[in-house]
């Protein structure tokens, strides 16, 4: 048995721990945190006791003091001042836990939509997000939950989710290339243990009594379970305290479990889903599943305790039975899989953290030397050498038919211990991040450190201005938090929320240690910092994570050049091709329907150029352009879906049940046409009055200065190939709806049907010109841009660069002939657009509800109205109050606000639309799960001074 360390040996061990003669100086006082010793006791007793967690979608879940309930809070940008904060706490609708078996663990699923809540008896509850952060409903479960202390859960692991986690494009670093950056991105394919059906979740748990359970979703999304027992000596006398899983990239899992006598048991877990061969994941999603678990014991390590470096190396003269054990009990156990990092995959690694927190009574004993609080990180690599189980002398037997070399080798396993590492305070939370290449340690003194997995060295700024690999390396770091018991990190590990024993939260963000990050012109380190932010943004976009916490790091007063650098690099890092030539519309359709990377870049551009205030949202040219493109893409996507839903649109009118939902979209599309023509007229007239107009031969600088000063993106919307393609596609659905709406509003067989279609007819009649004239302007833009490209003879790559410049608000020189034509002759020449419409009606048409003209009249209107950003309808405060009141007159949360841009949407659910007695069309419920900017939703009451768009 290992010897416990005597008091007089303590200094020797501290000196010898790292194999050198220098003493390790660690704090001599226990950090003054109320409840610290109780928290350490809890961490030592059971492996699953996480009290606060932050989802990949931006929602914080925390167990209330006493463990009786759970509260949720959404991370969002304040619409009044633009600061990032956690919203009000919303109680999860969960039965109150008992005093004997309180809730002790919360954990989010990979996508941040499923939340698992576990109590002290090992009973599991699962909740699912319903269309908005911090609103969840209980999932249907078929679990055998019993009140049994031995059933307490000591380890948990979410299965991989397909197709989301089958492949990954991983940005490892960025290298400076002149004024630009090139991003080193590799692709990885994973064969981790997963639920066989697409988008269905599952997770494994280990109980104190050695029970292994698989909870998984059936086709109807209800949860069922399968179970088995681990091979264990005596679960009653030697129960497990901690357990951890690691996927082994062969559709199996490695499992390590620690028991009360300090032994580490290592297993391999296989899940047999009993799925017929040859079925794809979509077919499997329709089959009921009845999986079984198979567990194979690999080895047992009986030296699971912190020890001196000589003991680790095995060269102590006293032999292995006399090794000195350092005081400390296991508080955290992790099993790190191999990483996809090129050239350094390594081995599966068991990581154990042991902590020592002297009792307050021992610190009062003057006869004993003062004891310090500390944690020690121990690691074991799992090696799988192959060996022959037959002795070579067997070859000398004349009757044998095979040599020893011809016998298949037997796979054996062994744990290779790496040197231990000591921290200067207690580790209270530990997270493997970025594909298990980095470890985050949250400590009792408020320190949050990021350490390399292979060396445990702290990742610190290296002052490189030519290469970046992480936020920490580029100069971002957490300043010390107030000492806290519970800490959770955000999706991209750049925000932290700390919770004390009273349940109060404190939010902390990484800070740029080299000063304000506003401008890249003054310091090349700032240029590298922006590249590091883009690197993290790229990783988030490729992993279905929110980017809100990344945006929260950036100074709100960032310069235009700096925000432009971020967006330009984001387009490059995510390989977004913006060239949608007329001969091949596939790229335009891809950008409209499937390219989340495109939307992520546009959302960043819309965010960085906007500012929130009590008077509304102010946007510069790139931001307003991105916002317009996002909305144009959204409406085109819906209209395309509506036409496909109706089949032969030349014969089939819009269905009565969706006609009302099309009204707002049609009005918005026609009002956008009005706004664009109005802006083009104003721009053309302003340029004609300028001294440097030169009969229409003005230079690009003059045009660009007017576009930027007025934040006028209409011309660019016509020049850009993607938006031009979208505007061209508007003509077909509008013609379909107007033709049938006009006829049915007058001739439908019933008054109810006539009333259904009449608002659509009125909306088309209110347009200040025949909306079909807008198509002539789009056709002119198509012809002019094509002529410019043909004259220039640009390659595909050069055209892509031109399109990117356009999308960021800059008119390239190559397209100046087309630009001059569109704000000149295409409008003002005889028989052109302005000869066919009444310019006065266009100028005085009320388009304030679009939110694109930052005039005082618009801001005054927005104080009295709210626009639903998805359904495109307007509500006044009186109507909003009625919507927000329940039957008893109490205010209800009936609106959703985007956590990023602040736009509003009615809280539409399958059983509630604008009219509470009617169910909304399916398309609204399904497509409006996110804002048009891809931000998440949070619930609000009726919004005071809310600004919609």
């Amino acid at each position: 048995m290992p010897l416990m360390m005597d008091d007089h040996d303590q200094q020797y061990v501290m000196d010898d721990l790292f194999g050198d003669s220098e003493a390790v100086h660690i704090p001599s006082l226990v950090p003054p945190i109320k409840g610290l010793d109780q928290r350490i006791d809890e961490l030592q007793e059971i492996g699953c006791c996480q009290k606060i967690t932050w989802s990949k979608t931006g929602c914080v879940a925390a167990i209330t003091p006493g463990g009786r309930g759970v509260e949720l809070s959404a991370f969002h940008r304040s619409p009044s001042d633009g600061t990032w904060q956690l919203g009000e706490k919303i109680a999860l609708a969960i039965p109150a836990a008992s005093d004997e078996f309180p809730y002790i663990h919360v954990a989010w699923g990979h996508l941040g939509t499923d939340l698992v809540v576990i109590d002290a008896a090992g009973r599991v509850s699962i909740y699912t997000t319903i269309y908005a952060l911090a609103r969840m409903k209980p999932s249907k479960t078929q679990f055998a939950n019993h009140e049994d202390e031995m059933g307490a859960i000591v380890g948990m692991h979410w299965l991989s989710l397909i197709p989301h986690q089958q492949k990954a494009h991983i940005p490892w670093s960025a290298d400076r290339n002149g004024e630009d950056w090139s991003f080193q991105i590799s692709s990885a394919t994973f064969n981790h243990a997963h639920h066989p059906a697409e988008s269905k979740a599952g997770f494994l748990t280990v109980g104190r009594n050695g029970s292994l359970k698989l909870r998984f979703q059936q086709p109807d999304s209800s949860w069922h379970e399968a179970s088995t027992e681990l091979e264990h000596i005596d679960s009653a006398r030697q129960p497990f305290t901690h357990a951890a899983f690691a996927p082994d990239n062969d559709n199996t899992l490695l499992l390590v479990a620690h028991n009360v006598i300090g032994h580490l048991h290592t297993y391999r877990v296989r899940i047999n889903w009993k799925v017929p061969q040859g079925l794809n994941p979509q077919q499997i999603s329709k089959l009921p599943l009845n999986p079984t678990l198979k567990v194979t014991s690999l080895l047992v390590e009986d030296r699971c305790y912190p020890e001196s470096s000589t003991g680790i190396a095995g060269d102590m003269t006293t032999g292995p039975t006399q090794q000195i054990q350092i005081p400390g009990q296991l508080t955290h156990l992790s099993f790190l899989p191999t990483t996809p990092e090129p050239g350094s995959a390594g081995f599966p690694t068991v990581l154990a953290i042991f902590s020592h927190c002297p009792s307050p009574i021992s610190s009062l004993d003057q006869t004993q030397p003062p004891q310090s609080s500390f944690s020690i990180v121990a690691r074991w690599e799992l090696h799988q050498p192959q060996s022959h189980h037959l002795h070579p002398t067997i070859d000398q037997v004349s009757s044998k038919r095979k040599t020893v070399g011809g016998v298949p080798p037997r796979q054996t396993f062994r744990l290779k211990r790496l040197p231990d590492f000591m921290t200067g305070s207690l580790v209270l939370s530990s997270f493997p991040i970025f594909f298990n290449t980095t470890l985050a340690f949250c400590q009792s003194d408020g320190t949050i450190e990021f350490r390399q997995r292979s060396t445990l060295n702290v990742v610190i700024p290296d002052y490189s201005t030519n290469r970046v690999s992480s936020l920490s390396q580029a100069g971002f770091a957490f300043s010390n938090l107030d000492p806290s018991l519970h800490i959770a990190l955000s999706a991209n590990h750049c925000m932290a929320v700390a919770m004390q024993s009273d349940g109060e939260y404190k939010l902390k963000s990484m800070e740029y240690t080299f000063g304000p990050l506003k401008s890249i012109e003054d310091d090349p380190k700032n240029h590298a910092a922006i590249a590091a932010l883009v690197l993290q943004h790229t990783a988030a976009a490729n992993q279905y994570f929110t980017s809100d916490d990344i945006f929260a790091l950036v100074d709100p007063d960032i310069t235009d050049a700096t925000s432009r650098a971020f967006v330009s690099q984001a387009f490059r890092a995510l390989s977004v091709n913006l060239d949608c030539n007329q001969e091949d519309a596939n790229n335009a359709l891809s950008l409209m329907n499937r390219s989340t990377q495109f939307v992520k870049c546009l959302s960043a551009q819309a965010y960085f150029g906007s500012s929130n205030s009590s008077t509304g949202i102010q946007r510069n040219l790139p931001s307003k352009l991105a916002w317009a493109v996002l909305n144009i893409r959204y409406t085109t996507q819906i209209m395309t879906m509506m036409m496909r839903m109706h089949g032969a649109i030349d014969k089939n009118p819009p269905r009565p049940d969706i006609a009302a939902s099309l009204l707002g979209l049609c009005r918005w599309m026609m009002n956008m046409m009005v706004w664009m023509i109005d802006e083009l007229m104003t721009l053309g007239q302003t340029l004609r009055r300028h001294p440097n107009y030169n009969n229409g031969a003005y230079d690009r600088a003059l045009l660009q200065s007017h576009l930027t000063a007025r934040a006028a993106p209409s011309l660019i919307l016509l020049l850009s190939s993607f938006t031009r393609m979208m505007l061209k596609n508007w003509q077909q659905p509008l013609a379909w709806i107007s033709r049938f709406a006009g006829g049915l509003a007058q001739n439908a067989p019933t008054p109810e049907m006539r009333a259904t279609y009449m608002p659509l007819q009125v909306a088309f009649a209110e347009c200040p010109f025949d909306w079909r004239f807008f198509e002539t302007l789009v056709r002119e833009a198509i012809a002019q841009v094509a002529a410019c490209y043909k004259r220039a003879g640009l390659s595909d790559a050069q055209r892509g660069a031109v399109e990117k410049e356009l999308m960021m608000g800059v008119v390239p020189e190559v397209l100046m002939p087309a630009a001059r034509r569109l704000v000149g002759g295409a409008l003002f020449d005889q028989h052109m657009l302005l000869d066919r419409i009444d310019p006065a009606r266009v100028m005085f048409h009320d388009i304030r509800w679009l939110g694109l003209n930052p005039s005082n009249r618009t801001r005054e209107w927005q104080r009295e109205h709210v626009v639903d950003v998805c359904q495109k309808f307007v509500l006044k405060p009186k109507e909003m109050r009625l919507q927000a009141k329940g039957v008893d007159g109490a205010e209800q949360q009936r609106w959703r606000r985007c956590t990023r841009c602040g736009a509003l949407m009615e809280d539409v659910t399958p059983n509630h639309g604008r009219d509470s007695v009617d169910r909304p069309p399916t398309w609204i419920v399904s497509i409006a799960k996110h804002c048009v900017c891809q931000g998440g939703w949070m619930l609000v009451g009726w919004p005071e001074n809310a600004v919609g768009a």
Side-chain angles (χ1 to χ4, degrees):
M1 290 290 293
L3 298 178
M4 290 302 296
M5 185 177 66
D6 296 329
D7 292 336
H8 67 273
D9 289 329
Q10 183 174 7
Q11 187 60 45
Y12 159 74
V13 173
M14 297 306 172
D15 292 349
D16 187 58
L17 181 62
F18 302 102
D20 55 34
S21 58
E22 295 184 7
V24 177
H25 300 284
I26 56 178
S28 59
L29 296 177
V30 176
I33 313 177
K34 181 181 179 181
L36 177 61
D37 50 348
Q38 292 92 334
R39 178 57 180 163
I40 293 298
D41 288 344
E42 184 179 30
L43 289 169
Q44 293 172 351
E45 181 181 352
I46 192 165
C48 282
C49 56
Q50 179 176 258
K51 300 302 174 63
I52 187 168
T53 180
W54 198 322
S55 77
K56 305 305 182 185
T57 54
C59 186
V60 171
I63 296 174
T64 58
R68 302 297 298 273
V70 176
E71 292 178 330
L72 306 169
S73 184
F75 182 63
H76 70 284
R77 187 190 190 196
S78 169
S80 59
D81 60 13
T83 60
W84 287 91
Q85 56 193 241
L86 285 173
E88 64 176 326
K89 298 177 182 178
I90 299 176
L92 181 67
I94 188 171
S98 65
D99 291 334
E100 183 180 3
F101 297 111
Y103 297 119
I104 62 171
H105 187 79
V106 284
W108 290 103
H110 291 300
L111 297 184
T113 55
D114 293 316
L115 177 69
V116 167
V117 183
I118 300 173
D119 70 8
R123 292 174 294 189
V124 173
S125 303
I126 305 175
Y127 294 80
T128 302
T129 301
I130 304 298
Y131 306 111
L133 300 179
R135 178 175 62 188
M136 310 193 80
K137 70 173 184 179
S139 299
K140 183 180 179 181
T141 59
Q142 301 290 333
F143 299 159
N145 284 328
H146 304 289
E147 285 194 1
D148 181 8
E149 189 177 73
M150 290 300 294
I153 292 175
V154 299
M156 175 183 171
H157 173 81
W158 286 93
L159 298 181
S160 181
L161 201 67
I162 61 169
H164 309 77
Q165 295 176 303
Q166 278 185 309
K167 296 181 180 179
H169 301 289
I170 308 171
W172 296 106
S173 62
D175 296 297
R176 192 183 184 101
N177 184 15
E179 291 301 313
D180 293 326
W181 291 78
S182 59
F183 294 84
Q184 312 308 313
I185 299 175
S186 66
S187 297
T189 301
F190 302 101
N191 188 25
H192 293 169
H194 59 272
H195 194 297
E198 280 193 349
S199 302
K200 296 298 184 183
F203 61 92
L204 289 157
T205 61
V206 176
R208 181 175 283 158
N209 55 11
S211 62
L212 175 66
K213 293 186 178 182
L214 168 67
R215 272 92 173 187
F216 61 96
Q217 284 184 298
Q218 292 284 12
D220 62 354
S221 294
S222 65
W223 289 80
H224 290 234
E225 71 177 9
S227 63
T228 189
E229 299 294 323
L230 298 180
E231 179 186 324
H232 192 216
I233 299 174
D234 188 342
S235 61
R237 298 180 57 188
Q238 300 174 8
F240 290 124
T241 62
H242 300 75
F245 295 84
D248 203 23
N249 216 29
D250 60 355
N251 206 20
T252 69
L253 291 141
L254 297 171
L255 165 63
V256 61
H258 173 270
N259 63 17
V260 293
I261 62 172
H263 290 179
L264 279 181
H265 294 254
T266 307
Y267 306 91
R268 184 179 297 279
V269 179
R270 298 181 185 273
I271 305 173
N272 182 3
W273 293 96
K274 301 179 182 178
V275 174
Q277 295 291 328
L279 299 183
N280 60 41
Q282 289 96 345
Q283 294 170 322
I284 294 173
S285 64
K286 301 176 182 179
L287 299 177
L289 300 174
N290 183 28
T292 57
L293 299 169
K294 179 182 178 182
V295 181
T296 304
S297 179
L298 302 182
L299 59 90
V300 178
E301 168 62 48
D302 59 2
R303 292 171 49 202
C304 185
Y305 51 80
E307 55 188 34
S308 66
S309 57
T310 53
I312 295 171
D315 57 359
M316 292 185 66
T317 56
T318 54
T321 58
Q322 298 298 315
Q323 294 159 6
I324 297 178
Q325 180 178 339
I326 300 172
Q329 297 294 316
L330 182 70
T331 54
H332 300 82
L333 184 65
S334 304
F335 208 161
L336 309 177
T338 58
T339 75
E341 187 173 9
S344 57
F347 298 92
T349 303
V350 177
L351 186 142
I353 300 177
F354 301 86
S355 297
H356 176 64
C357 182
S359 67
I361 297 177
S362 65
S363 64
L364 300 177
D365 188 353
Q366 301 298 319
T367 64
Q368 301 292 332
Q371 298 186 31
S372 303
S373 296
F374 59 87
S375 290
I376 293 178
V377 181
R379 294 168 296 159
W380 293 263
E381 289 180 345
L382 181 64
H383 289 246
Q384 304 179 31
Q386 291 182 335
S387 64
H388 292 283
H389 58 280
L390 299 178
H391 195 275
T393 56
I394 300 297
D395 284 338
Q396 301 173 11
V397 179
S398 60
S399 62
K400 70 174 186 59
R401 297 182 179 180
K402 290 184 179 180
T403 64
V404 171
V407 177
R410 180 183 60 184
Q411 195 171 47
T412 60
F413 295 85
R414 67 182 182 89
L415 288 173
K416 177 185 177 182
R417 185 154 186 172
L418 303 178
D420 289 359
F421 173 83
M422 177 178 283
T423 65
S425 60
L426 296 166
V427 176
L428 297 180
S429 303
S430 173
F431 309 99
I433 63 175
F434 200 66
F435 298 95
N436 298 284
T437 61
T438 306
L439 303 174
F441 292 146
C442 304
Q443 303 181 49
S444 59
D445 61 358
T447 302
I448 299 177
E449 292 180 333
F450 297 94
R451 294 180 176 271
Q452 297 172 353
R453 167 181 169 171
S454 57
T455 63
L456 290 183
N457 291 333
V458 177
V459 181
I460 59 175
D462 62 6
Y463 307 101
S464 173
T465 58
N466 295 315
R467 185 179 180 86
V468 294
S469 56
S470 68
L471 293 176
S472 300
Q473 175 265 336
F476 292 90
F478 284 103
S479 59
N480 280 13
L481 289 160
D482 293 337
S484 305
L485 291 178
H486 311 280
I487 300 175
L489 298 182
S490 61
N492 296 286
H493 320 106
C494 53
M495 302 287 295
V497 57
M499 183 177 71
Q500 296 289 13
S501 55
D502 59 1
E504 290 302 311
Y505 299 163
K506 286 189 178 180
L507 196 62
K508 186 72 173 179
S509 70
M510 270 186 160
E511 299 172 359
Y512 186 52
T513 55
F514 298 134
L517 184 58
K518 297 181 180 180
S519 172
I520 61 173
E521 295 91 339
D522 303 331
D523 192 335
K525 291 195 295 292
N526 292 357
H527 214 294
I530 292 296
L533 289 169
V534 173
L535 197 70
Q536 191 64 54
H537 175 266
T538 303
N542 288 336
Q543 295 181 81
Y544 305 92
F545 294 176
T546 179
S547 299
D548 287 350
D549 52 341
I550 300 173
F551 297 147
L553 298 187
V554 182
D555 194 299
D557 298 325
I558 185 175
T559 65
D560 291 345
T562 306
S563 62
R564 174 182 167 82
F566 183 103
V567 175
S568 177
Q569 293 171 26
F571 275 121
R572 184 181 303 109
L574 289 169
S575 302
V576 179
N577 177 19
L578 297 172
D579 183 16
C580 305
N581 62 74
Q582 300 304 312
E583 292 78 19
D584 183 7
N586 288 336
N587 191 44
L589 295 176
S590 176
L591 292 176
M592 180 181 73
N593 293 319
R594 298 185 296 275
S595 180
T596 57
Q597 289 84 355
F598 175 50
V599 178
K600 294 279 188 181
C601 293
L602 287 178
S603 185
Q605 182 172 318
Y607 170 81
F608 283 122
S610 66
S611 60
N612 288 32
S613 67
S614 58
T615 60
I617 300 177
Q618 305 297 317
R619 298 186 185 275
N620 64 12
L621 174 59
S623 176
K624 188 184 292 186
L625 173 63
W627 181 246
V629 174
L630 286 166
N631 281 272
I632 289 171
R633 171 189 175 272
Y634 171 82
T635 52
T636 310
Q637 185 181 26
I638 293 175
M639 284 300 187
T640 303
M641 183 175 65
M642 291 296 102
M643 290 191 297
R644 290 175 179 171
M645 180 189 302
H646 285 78
I649 60 173
D650 57 331
K651 301 177 181 179
N652 300 325
R655 297 199 319 247
D657 59 317
I658 70 165
S661 68
L662 296 177
L663 174 62
L665 298 171
C666 291
R667 288 188 66 241
W668 188 88
M669 293 164 75
M670 288 184 288
N671 277 255
M672 278 292 290
M673 297 176 186
V674 175
W675 171 72
M676 290 179 65
I677 292 177
D678 183 26
E679 193 171 85
L680 290 172
M681 288 193 308
T682 303
L683 178 61
Q685 292 165 351
T686 302
L687 288 170
R688 287 182 167 217
R689 293 192 295 266
H690 197 276
N692 296 331
Y693 180 68
N694 193 23
N695 292 324
Y698 50 87
D699 61 11
R700 188 173 72 93
L702 177 62
L703 175 63
Q704 190 66 49
S705 65
H706 278 74
L707 295 179
T708 302
R710 296 171 178 268
S714 294
L715 174 61
I716 299 175
L717 292 174
L718 285 172
L719 293 174
S720 170
S721 63
F722 172 73
T723 49
R724 201 170 58 246
M725 182 74 74
M726 297 297 102
L727 295 173
K728 177 186 176 183
N729 290 343
W730 282 6
Q731 308 307 311
Q732 188 178 18
L734 288 177
W736 167 54
I737 295 170
S738 64
R739 179 166 63 92
F740 280 107
L744 292 171
Q746 303 298 326
N747 303 315
T750 65
E752 292 79 8
M753 286 190 66
R754 291 194 292 272
T756 297
Y757 291 99
M758 181 61 71
L760 281 170
Q761 183 191 33
V762 171
F764 282 95
E766 288 177 344
C767 186
F769 55 83
D770 188 332
W771 59 269
R772 289 170 292 190
F773 289 149
F774 186 77
E775 186 179 5
T776 64
L777 185 62
V778 175
R779 286 201 304 265
E780 180 74 14
I782 292 172
Q784 292 294 324
V785 172
C788 289
Y789 280 140
K790 184 176 181 179
R791 283 193 299 269
L794 301 183
S795 65
D796 291 346
Q798 290 172 324
R799 282 179 56 143
V802 169
E803 294 292 340
K804 189 173 79 168
E805 287 290 296
L806 282 169
M807 194 60 73
M808 293 191 294
V810 176
V811 179
E813 185 66 43
V814 69
L815 295 183
M816 276 302 296
R820 295 188 186 101
R821 174 67 180 171
L822 291 174
V823 296
L827 296 176
F828 300 103
D829 284 359
Q830 190 175 10
H831 305 304
M832 297 307 289
L833 182 62
L834 295 188
D835 275 356
R836 303 181 181 184
I837 66 175
D838 184 350
R841 290 190 65 194
V842 172
M843 293 176 61
F844 291 103
H845 190 73
D846 189 357
I847 53 174
R848 292 175 296 173
W849 73 291
L850 296 179
L852 293 170
N853 287 332
S855 64
N856 291 332
R857 290 183 67 247
T858 298
R859 285 190 285 269
E860 185 66 28
W861 185 92
Q862 289 174 330
R863 280 192 285 268
E864 297 295 328
H865 303 78
V866 164
V867 178
D868 186 306
V869 71
C870 291
Q871 300 181 79
K872 307 296 184 189
F873 65 73
V874 181
L875 281 183
K876 297 179 180 179
K878 182 178 180 180
E879 293 173 300
M880 291 162 53
R881 288 175 186 266
L882 293 175
Q883 289 284 329
K885 296 291 183 180
V887 177
D888 58 356
E891 185 172 311
Q892 296 178 334
Q893 292 181 316
R894 293 290 296 278
W895 288 84
R896 304 178 195 168
R897 172 179 280 131
C898 176
T899 58
R900 183 177 305 163
C901 72
L904 290 159
M905 176 194 173
E906 184 191 17
D907 184 24
V908 175
T909 62
N911 296 316
H912 167 68
R914 186 177 182 185
D915 185 344
S916 59
V917 300
D918 293 332
R919 293 188 176 186
T922 304
W923 74 263
I924 297 177
V925 178
S926 60
I927 205 169
K929 293 179 180 178
H930 298 90
C931 177
V932 296
C933 75
Q934 287 296 295
W937 295 116
M938 62 180 293
L939 295 175
V940 294
W942 82 265
E944 297 278 1
N945 298 326
V947 178

